C-alpha cells in the first residue's frame, strides 16, 4: 500500500483531523504523492497564504475561511460567494503569497460549486497589470471532489504576448474565476486542501494514482488525445500508440448536434445540456479576429481543450479582421487594412501563420477552422466588396453594388472608399474573367491553407461560411459564391441559418437557406454542409413561442429538405444587453417548455449524432488505386454499449446492402439498401431492430454486400 504525502504548513490541526485527511489520500496502485499547502483547517486565511476577492464594479463577492465543513468532513473550508449586478461583470477569488510553495507536476485542490471556471496561475515572470495569465477552463461540480490540473494543462489566452514557461516554484498567486456573468446570478463556491501532486513516472498522466483513466486524468497515456475522444474511436486510453486519426467522419444520413455559445463559454453550455439532455458533437468557439494593430493572436488552446474534454470537436471561428475595430461603424471595419488580403497573398503574415499552424498541429485533435465568416455579406475587410483596385483597397461602382448601392450603406461606402470603374473590376488582379475582390479572398484562403500544409497541420477541416442571401440583386452579380470558391480550399461547406422572426416576418428555415444551400451544392455536391450559425429568433419583444419552428426544423427541414447539412451549432444566447437581448435565442427555463422539449426530442432522435465519429489511427484508409475496388468494413467500438459506428468503403458505383443479423441468421435491421457512389461511408446504429425495439445483449453480424463483393463482421452488444 502506498500512502501519499500530506504536509501542513504553519497550521494548527488536531491529530484526529490529520489522520482523517491522510486516510482520505490513501491509494493502492501508484506511487504518486500529494503535498497540501493550504487546508483552511483553522479558519485563518491570512497565514501563510492570503485570500481575497477582486471584482468588477458590477459584481459583489466575499471570501472567508470560517465556513463550515470542508472536503472529507474536515471542519473548515474556504467559502466564496458572488452576485452579478450588471451583465458581463465578474468576480475572482484570489490566493496570494504562494512564493516557492508549489512543485511537482501540477496543482490539486478540492472544491464544490457550480458552472464553468477559469483557474489561473500568476508567476514572477508575469506582470498582472499587462500580461494575461495562463489558465485552465473546467466545470466544477456541486459535490466535493478533487481536481487535478497538470502545469502543462495551463495555456495562455490568444492575446498574450509574454508567454513564459510555468515554473512551479515561481507561482505566487492563484485565481478562481466563475464564468457566469448574467445580471442577477448568485453562486457559492467552496475550496479546500490546495496543494500539488507528483505523478507516477510509469503513467505520468494517471495523476490520481488509481491506474484507471477517468475525469481526473483527462489524457491518461499522454498522447495528446483526451480519453473521451479515444473512447469514441475505440482506442486504448492507456496505450500511447493507440490514438484516433486526425479526421472526422460523416454520417451517411443524419447531422451532428452542436452549440454556439455567443457569450464565449459562459454557462450557456451547462444550462443548455442540463435543460435539454442534449450532448453536443460540435461546439463553436468564436475568436474576435486574427489580432489587434500590434499583435497576431495565438491559437486558443484552453478553449479548444475545454471543448475536446467534453467530447466535442471545435468549430473555430477565426475571422480575418482586427479584433479592436468598432464593427458598428461597418465602413471603417470594411476599410481596415491590418490584415489586407493582398498582403496575405504576398506572404506578409507567413511567419505569424506558421506559428499559429504549428500550435494547431501540436494540438493534434481535429478542428473545423473558419477564417471567412459570412464572406459574401459580412461587410468585413475580407468581404469581396472592399478588395478591388491595385492593392485591394477599393470598392465597385454604385451601379454594380445592387440594392446596397441605393441605400445609406452605399452612401457611406462611397464617402469613405475609393471606387474603381465598372470596366475595371476584374482587371487589377488575377483572372480577368473573375471580379478582383472575391478572387483575392479565394487566393488568400488558398495561401493560408498552403502555410498550414507546409508544416504538416493535417488535423484541420477547412471551411468558409456563406451568408444565405445570395440574390445577385442584393450586393451585385459580382458577389456570386462561385467567385469566392475553390475546391482546393473547401473541405466542408458552411452556412448561416438565422430564421424565425426576421424583419418582423415569420420565416422558415427553407425560406432562408434554400437558395444558398442549392448554390453550395452546385459548387460541389459531394461536400457536406455545416450550419455554423443555426438560430431561431423570436419577435422583437422576445416573448413569441418558437416551438413549432423548432419542431419543424428537427422533424422535417433537416432530414427531408437539407440532407447534406451534416451538422449544426445552435446559437444559444441573448447576448445579455446588446441588440440581441429580445430575440429569444437562448434556450433557458424562463422561456417555453415546448422549445426545450424540441431539443429534448433531438436527444432521443437517432438522426442527430451526439458524438463525433472518429477512427482509430491504424484504420485510416489509404486511397490507393489498387484498393479502389475492394470492400472495407469496420465496426467500432466493439463491444458496444450504445451507438456503433459502421464504416465501409466502396470503389465503384453499385447497389449497397448493409444489414444486421442475429446469431440464428435472422435479419433484425436493414441500415442501407440503395445505390451509392464510390467513396467512404459511416453509418450509426443505436442497437434497435426494424421495429425500433432495443436489442438485447449478444452477438450480431454486420453484413455488407456491394455488387459482387460481400463481407461480414461480428459485433457484440452489451446492454
Amino acid at each position: 500500500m502506498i500512502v501519499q504525502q500530506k504536509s501542513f504548513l504553519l497550521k494548527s490541526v488536531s491529530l484526529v483531523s490529520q489522520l482523517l485527511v491522510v486516510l482520505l489520500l490513501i491509494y493502492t496502485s501508484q506511487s504518486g504523492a500529494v503535498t497540501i499547502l493550504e487546508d483552511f483547517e483553522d479558519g485563518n486565511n491570512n497565514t501563510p497564504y492570503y485570500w481575497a476577492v477582486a471584482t468588477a464594479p458590477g459584481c459583489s463577492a466575499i471570501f472567508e475561511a470560517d465556513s463550515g465543513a470542508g472536503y472529507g468532513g474536515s471542519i473548515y473550508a474556504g467559502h466564496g460567494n458572488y452576485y452579478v449586478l450588471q451583465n458581463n461583470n465578474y468576480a475572482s477569488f484570489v490566493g496570494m503569497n504562494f512564493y516557492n510553495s508549489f512543485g511537482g507536476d501540477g496543482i490539486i485542490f478540492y472544491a464544490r460549486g457550480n458552472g464553468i471556471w477559469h483557474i489561473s496561475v500568476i508567476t514572477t515572470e508575469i506582470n498582472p497589470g499587462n500580461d494575461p495569465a495562463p489558465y485552465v477552463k473546467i466545470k466544477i461540480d456541486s459535490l466535493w471532489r478533487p481536481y487535478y490540473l497538470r502545469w502543462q494543462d495551463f495555456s495562455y489566452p490568444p492575446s498574450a504576448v509574454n508567454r513564459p514557461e510555468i515554473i512551479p516554484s515561481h507561482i505566487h498567486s492563484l485565481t478562481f474565476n466563475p464564468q457566469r456573468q448574467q445580471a442577477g446570478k448568485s453562486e457559492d463556491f467552496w475550496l479546500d486542501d490546495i496543494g500539488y501532486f507528483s505523478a507516477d513516472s510509469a503513467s505520468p498522466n494517471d495523476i490520481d494514482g488509481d491506474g484507471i483513466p477517468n475525469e481526473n486524468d483527462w489524457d491518461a497515456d499522454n498522447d495528446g488525445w483526451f480519453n473521451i475522444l479515444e473512447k469514441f474511436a475505440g482506442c486504448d486510453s492507456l496505450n500511447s500508440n493507440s490514438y484516433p486519426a486526425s479526421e472526422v467522419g460523416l454520417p451517411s444520413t443524419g447531422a451532428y448536434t452542436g452549440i454556439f455559445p455567443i457569450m464565449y463559454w459562459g454557462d450557456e453550455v451547462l444550462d443548455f445540456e442540463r435543460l435539454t439532455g442534449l450532448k453536443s458533437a460540435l461546439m463553436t468557439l468564436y475568436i474576435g479576429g486574427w489580432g489587434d494593430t500590434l499583435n497576431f493572436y495565438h491559437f486558443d488552446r484552453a478553449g479548444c481543450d475545454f471543448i475536446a474534454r467534453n467530447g466535442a470537436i471545435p468549430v473555430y471561428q477565426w475571422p480575418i479582421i482586427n479584433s479592436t475595430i468598432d464593427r458598428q461603424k461597418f465602413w471603417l471595419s470594411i476599410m481596415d487594412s491590418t490584415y489586407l488580403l493582398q498582403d496575405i497573398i504576398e506572404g506578409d503574415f507567413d511567419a505569424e501563420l506558421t506559428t499559429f499552424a504549428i500550435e494547431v498541429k501540436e494540438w493534434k485533435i481535429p478542428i473545423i477552422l473558419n477564417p471567412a465568416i459570412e464572406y459574401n455579406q459580412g461587410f468585413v475587410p475580407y468581404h469581396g466588396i472592399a478588395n478591388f483596385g491595385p492593392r485591394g483597397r477599393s470598392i465597385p461602382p454604385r451601379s454594380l453594388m445592387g440594392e446596397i448601392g441605393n441605400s445609406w450603406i452605399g452612401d457611406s461606402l462611397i464617402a469613405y472608399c475609393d471606387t474603381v470603374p465598372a470596366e475595371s473590376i476584374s482587371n487589377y488582379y488575377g483572372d480577368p474573367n473573375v471580379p478582383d475582390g472575391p478572387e483575392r479572398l479565394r487566393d488568400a484562403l488558398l495561401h493560408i491553407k498552403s502555410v498550414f500544409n507546409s508544416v504538416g497541420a493535417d488535423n484541420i477541416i477547412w471551411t468558409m461560411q456563406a451568408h444565405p442571401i445570395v440574390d445577385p440583386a442584393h450586393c451585385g452579380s459580382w458577389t456570386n459564391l462561385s467567385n469566392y470558391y475553390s475546391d482546393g480550399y473547401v473541405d466542408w461547406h458552411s452556412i448561416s441559418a438565422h430564421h424565425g422572426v426576421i424583419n418582423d416576418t415569420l420565416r422558415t428555415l427553407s425560406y432562408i437557406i434554400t437558395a444558398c444551400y442549392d448554390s453550395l451544392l452546385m459548387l460541389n455536391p459531394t461536400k457536406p454542409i455545416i450550419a455554423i450559425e443555426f438560430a431561431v429568433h423570436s419577435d422583437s419583444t422576445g416573448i413569441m413561442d418558437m416551438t413549432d419552428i423548432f419542431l419543424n426544423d428537427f422533424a422535417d427541414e433537416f432530414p427531408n429538405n437539407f440532407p447534406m447539412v451534416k451538422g449544426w451549432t445552435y446559437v444559444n444566447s441573448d447576448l445579455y444587453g446588446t441588440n440581441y437581448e429580445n430575440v429569444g435565442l437562448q434556450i433557458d427555463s424562463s422561456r417555453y417548455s415546448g422549445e426545450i422539449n424540441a431539443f429534448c426530442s433531438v436527444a432521443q432522435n437517432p438522426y442527430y449524432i451526439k458524438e463525433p465519429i472518429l477512427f482509430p489511427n491504424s484504420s485510416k484508409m489509404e486511397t490507393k488505386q489498387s484498393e479502389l475496388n475492394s470492400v472495407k468494413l469496420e465496426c467500432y467500438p466493439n463491444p458496444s454499449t450504445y451507438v456503433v459506428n459502421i464504416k465501409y468503403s466502396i470503389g465503384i458505383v453499385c447497389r449497397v446492402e448493409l444489414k444486421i443479423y442475429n446469431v440464428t441468421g435472422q435479419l433484425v435491421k436493414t441500415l442501407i439498401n440503395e445505390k451509392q457512389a464510390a467513396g467512404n461511408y459511416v453509418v450509426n446504429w443505436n442497437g434497435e431492430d426494424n421495429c425500433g425495439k432495443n436489442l438485447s445483449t449478444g452477438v450480431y453480424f454486420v453484413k455488407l454486400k456491394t455488387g459482387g463483393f460481400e463481407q461480414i463482421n461480428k459485433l457484440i452488444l452489451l446492454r
Side-chain angles (χ1 to χ4, degrees):
M1 178 178 293
I2 305 298
V3 179
Q4 296 194 337
Q5 302 169 3
K6 181 177 178 67
S7 62
F8 297 99
L9 303 184
L10 303 179
K11 295 292 179 181
S12 175
V13 186
S14 69
L15 179 60
V16 173
S17 296
Q18 293 186 47
L19 289 173
L20 175 61
V21 176
V22 169
L23 288 172
L24 288 169
L25 293 170
I26 291 177
Y27 297 85
T28 60
S29 58
Q30 301 288 340
S31 58
V34 168
T35 300
I36 298 299
L37 305 175
E38 173 68 275
D39 64 5
F40 295 103
E41 286 297 325
D42 61 359
N44 178 1
N45 65 343
N46 294 314
T47 57
Y49 310 113
Y50 174 72
W51 286 86
V53 295
T55 64
C59 197
S60 64
I62 60 170
F63 188 89
E64 58 185 357
D66 187 2
S67 59
Y71 179 76
S74 62
I75 299 174
Y76 295 110
H79 170 243
N81 173 271
Y82 65 93
Y83 180 76
V84 182
L85 304 171
Q86 300 173 10
N87 288 326
N88 305 322
N89 281 285
Y90 65 89
S92 296
F93 304 108
V94 185
M96 295 173 280
N97 298 339
F98 283 93
Y99 297 95
N100 296 312
S101 296
F102 282 106
D105 298 298
I107 184 175
I108 178 176
F109 59 89
Y110 297 83
R112 71 181 178 93
N114 189 31
I116 299 172
W117 291 68
H118 286 185
I119 316 301
S120 304
V121 296
I122 302 175
T123 70
T124 54
E125 292 81 11
I126 295 173
N127 178 356
N130 298 316
D131 300 329
Y135 73 101
V136 179
K137 186 190 296 285
I138 64 172
K139 292 188 295 188
I140 291 183
D141 301 330
S142 59
L143 299 176
W144 280 109
R145 76 175 185 86
Y147 292 84
Y148 293 81
L149 308 176
R150 304 167 302 174
W151 303 128
Q152 69 190 66
D153 292 328
F154 288 80
S155 60
Y156 288 91
S159 61
V161 176
N162 183 29
R163 308 169 76 87
E165 180 183 356
I166 297 175
I167 301 173
S169 62
H170 291 192
I171 296 172
H172 60 75
S173 300
L174 306 174
T175 61
F176 293 78
N177 304 295
Q179 297 304 291
R180 187 183 293 270
Q181 299 175 354
Q182 300 96 318
K185 297 295 183 181
S186 179
E187 203 71 69
D188 287 289
F189 168 64
W190 285 267
L191 185 64
D192 202 0
D193 287 5
I194 299 172
Y196 61 89
F197 64 87
S198 299
D200 181 81
S201 59
S203 182
N205 280 27
D206 177 26
I207 53 182
D208 62 355
D210 62 3
I212 303 171
N214 54 40
E215 69 273 13
N216 292 338
D217 299 329
W218 289 348
D219 177 15
D221 54 10
N222 204 26
D223 60 3
W225 282 83
F226 295 112
N227 299 337
I228 187 170
L229 297 179
E230 294 200 81
K231 181 189 74 173
F232 295 160
C235 298
D236 184 350
S237 298
L238 289 176
N239 181 355
S240 61
N241 293 317
S242 175
Y243 52 87
S246 294
E247 60 182 86
V248 178
L250 290 167
S252 59
T253 58
Y256 285 128
T257 58
I259 185 172
F260 185 161
I262 295 181
M263 277 297 293
Y264 189 67
W265 302 107
D267 279 358
E268 294 102 319
V269 177
L270 300 186
D271 292 341
F272 180 82
E273 291 179 351
R274 174 178 53 82
L275 286 169
T276 65
L278 180 59
K279 183 193 174 301
S280 294
L282 308 174
M283 292 187 184
T284 296
L285 176 63
Y286 181 82
I287 306 298
W290 276 21
D292 51 40
T293 54
L294 298 176
N295 304 306
F296 195 100
Y297 292 165
H298 289 260
F299 173 59
D300 187 357
R301 201 197 86 198
C304 289
D305 277 351
F306 179 84
I307 292 171
R309 286 198 305 267
N310 285 275
I313 298 300
V315 181
Y316 199 95
Q317 296 284 73
W318 188 51
I320 310 171
I321 59 177
N322 177 348
S323 65
T324 63
I325 293 296
D326 183 1
R327 296 185 64 190
Q328 299 302 313
K329 300 177 180 178
F330 75 91
W331 56 90
L332 297 179
S333 175
I334 288 174
M335 297 313 296
D336 179 66
S337 60
T338 308
Y339 303 106
L340 194 62
L341 294 183
Q342 186 68 35
D343 293 339
I344 295 171
I345 293 167
E346 294 176 2
D348 290 4
F349 298 101
D350 282 7
E352 293 87 351
L353 288 169
T354 297
T355 298
F356 190 99
I358 291 172
E359 292 171 345
V360 176
K361 174 188 176 182
E362 291 177 347
W363 193 61
K364 297 183 179 180
I365 298 168
I367 181 171
I368 302 168
L369 190 58
N370 181 25
I373 300 171
E374 295 186 339
Y375 57 89
N376 59 315
Q377 183 66 19
F379 301 122
V380 285
Y382 53 82
H383 181 208
I385 198 171
N387 287 277
F388 290 90
R391 291 294 303 171
R393 305 305 302 128
S394 305
I395 62 172
R398 185 188 297 271
S399 62
L400 296 182
M401 285 173 26
E403 293 172 359
I404 68 169
N406 298 315
S407 68
W408 67 271
I409 298 174
D411 292 338
S412 299
L413 291 173
I414 295 295
Y416 281 90
C417 309
D418 294 328
T419 304
V420 296
E423 65 272 14
S424 301
I425 67 167
S426 302
N427 295 334
Y428 285 104
Y429 176 82
D431 188 339
N433 298 308
V434 180
D436 291 342
E439 188 178 17
R440 277 193 171 101
L441 177 58
R442 182 199 68 190
D443 289 355
L445 294 175
L446 285 167
H447 183 83
I448 293 166
K449 186 174 183 179
S450 73
V451 173
F452 280 71
N453 289 344
S454 71
V455 301
D458 61 358
N459 54 325
I460 300 168
I461 297 166
W462 292 94
T463 190
M464 55 193 302
Q465 179 183 342
H467 190 284
I469 297 178
V470 293
D471 183 354
H474 185 66
C475 279
S477 58
W478 58 269
T479 197
N480 187 294
L481 298 187
S482 63
N483 293 324
Y484 294 91
Y485 179 79
S486 169
D487 251 353
Y489 169 79
V490 173
D491 297 319
W492 292 10
H493 299 303
S494 60
I495 191 173
S496 295
H498 291 256
H499 59 301
V501 180
I502 305 294
N503 296 332
D504 298 322
T505 302
L506 185 62
R507 294 173 177 172
T508 65
L509 185 62
S510 286
Y511 180 92
I512 294 293
I513 73 168
T514 294
C516 188
Y517 177 88
D518 292 344
S519 296
L520 292 175
L521 293 187
M522 286 179 65
L523 294 174
N524 189 324
T526 69
K527 294 185 185 293
I529 300 173
I530 175 175
I532 292 180
E533 294 185 37
F534 166 55
V536 175
H537 296 245
S538 181
D539 62 357
S540 59
T541 67
I543 63 174
M544 186 172 178
D545 185 350
M546 306 309 297
T547 295
D548 289 343
I549 289 286
F550 281 116
L551 292 174
N552 187 57
D553 286 347
F554 297 139
D556 181 46
E557 294 273 31
F558 281 127
N560 298 323
N561 298 337
F562 306 110
M564 283 304 292
V565 172
K566 296 298 183 182
W568 44 260
T569 56
Y570 183 71
V571 178
N572 186 63
S573 180
D574 57 11
L575 281 184
Y576 313 133
T578 70
N579 61 336
Y580 276 82
E581 65 181 336
N582 291 321
V583 296
L585 290 175
Q586 193 171 33
I587 301 302
D588 62 30
S589 56
S590 67
R591 287 189 59 79
Y592 301 97
S593 60
E595 295 179 352
I596 296 171
N597 290 336
F599 280 91
C600 292
S601 70
V602 171
Q604 305 302 318
N605 188 339
Y607 184 85
Y608 295 103
I609 312 302
K610 294 83 177 177
E611 297 173 351
I613 300 169
L614 301 173
F615 314 117
N617 190 58
S618 60
S619 69
K620 187 175 181 180
M621 294 184 178
E622 302 292 338
T623 56
K624 298 177 182 177
Q625 189 67 32
S626 60
E627 298 176 336
L628 285 180
N629 291 324
S630 64
V631 176
K632 294 174 178 290
L633 176 64
E634 296 178 76
C635 305
Y636 57 92
N638 189 6
S640 175
T641 58
Y642 181 50
V643 174
V644 182
N645 301 305
I646 302 174
K647 179 180 178 182
Y648 64 95
S649 174
I650 55 177
I652 57 174
V653 177
C654 61
R655 185 162 197 85
V656 174
E657 295 179 11
L658 184 63
K659 299 179 179 180
I660 311 293
Y661 297 84
N662 61 22
V663 290
T664 67
Q666 179 185 10
L667 174 66
V668 294
K669 182 69 173 180
T670 298
L671 296 171
I672 300 291
N673 187 9
E674 62 184 26
K675 188 176 181 179
Q676 291 186 331
N680 300 328
Y681 295 85
V682 177
V683 176
N684 304 108
W685 180 47
N686 62 358
E688 292 181 352
D689 64 14
N690 284 324
C691 298
K693 181 181 178 181
N694 285 324
L695 295 172
S696 59
T697 294
V699 176
Y700 296 87
F701 296 94
V702 181
K703 181 178 180 181
L704 174 68
K705 185 176 181 181
T706 59
F709 295 91
E710 186 175 290
Q711 186 170 337
I712 298 175
N713 281 11
K714 183 170 72 174
L715 173 67
I716 299 174
L717 282 184
L718 299 176
R719 296 300 178 119

